[in-house]
Amino acid sequence: RNAYLRPIEREVLDLFRSTGRTRIATAEFFQRGPHANADFVRAFEDLEKQGRYLVRHTAGGTDWVELTTDGASALGVVQTADRLR
């Protein structure tokens, strides 16, 4: 399981790094494929619980994945006060 999730975890982190955003709707990941939604969810869980890189939450009916301060620092993404980006 770990060997399979590592590439997915990298894809999750790469999207944050390439876009420079600290908050991305989970639907954006699900639309990217080629992985199943459940595989992305497991990657989110591992990055949240083991790596402490991100947190998940729901706001306004949308599920979000957001970098923690440690996650943003590790990826070189600048966190802003605007949490609605």
Side-chain angles (χ1 to χ4, degrees):
R1 179 172 173 252
N2 251 355
Y4 182 65
L5 286 178
R6 288 186 196 278
I8 298 170
E9 291 169 3
R10 278 193 292 272
E11 288 179 37
V12 168
L13 296 176
D14 284 346
L15 184 59
F16 282 105
R17 186 181 298 115
S18 67
T19 62
R21 292 182 286 167
T22 58
R23 181 175 153 178
I24 300 174
T26 57
E28 190 169 337
F29 291 99
F30 299 157
Q31 293 167 358
R32 294 177 62 85
H35 310 289
N37 292 1
D39 292 332
F40 277 112
V41 170
R42 282 191 288 274
F44 298 154
E45 289 172 353
D46 285 347
L47 289 167
E48 180 178 29
K49 294 177 182 167
Q50 295 173 12
R52 307 268 192 244
Y53 279 105
L54 54 86
V55 294
R56 296 176 293 156
H57 58 91
T58 301
T62 301
D63 293 324
W64 296 94
V65 180
E66 188 165 354
L67 290 176
T68 61
T69 302
D70 290 341
S73 177
L75 297 176
V77 177
V78 177
Q79 285 189 307
T80 65
D82 179 14
R83 296 176 62 90
L84 299 177
R85 271 179 75 181

